[in-house]
Amino acid sequence: LTGMAAILDKHGYRCFLARNMDVAQQAVETIAFDLILFSFSRDPLAAAEAAASLRQHQQSKDLPVLFLA
């Protein structure tokens, strides 16, 4: 995800990287995002569960989610 964030930054997008679910949960409660990206190269089921968990928040319930392998 770091590489993807660098590319997006270069094109004017602001990126926030959360290395764990605690940080991600706090971020969706306080930051207005346009998109959530998940890397699931290690555990696709965990990424899907994490996305479902983040989408339970009012602020992120309608956000598009993109999964990267």
Side-chain angles (χ1 to χ4, degrees), residues 3-50:
M4 179 63 73
I7 292 168
L8 292 170
D9 270 344
K10 183 177 179 180
H11 291 281
Y13 293 94
R14 204 177 56 172
C15 298
F16 177 87
L17 298 177
R19 301 287 180 201
N20 62 56
M21 274 305 293
D22 291 334
V23 173
Q25 292 281 0
Q26 290 175 338
V28 299
E29 293 172 3
T30 59
I31 300 171
F33 291 103
D34 295 318
L35 172 70
I36 296 175
L37 297 175
F38 276 99
S39 172
F40 68 91
S41 58
R42 294 186 195 127
D43 189 352
L45 184 57
E49 290 171 350

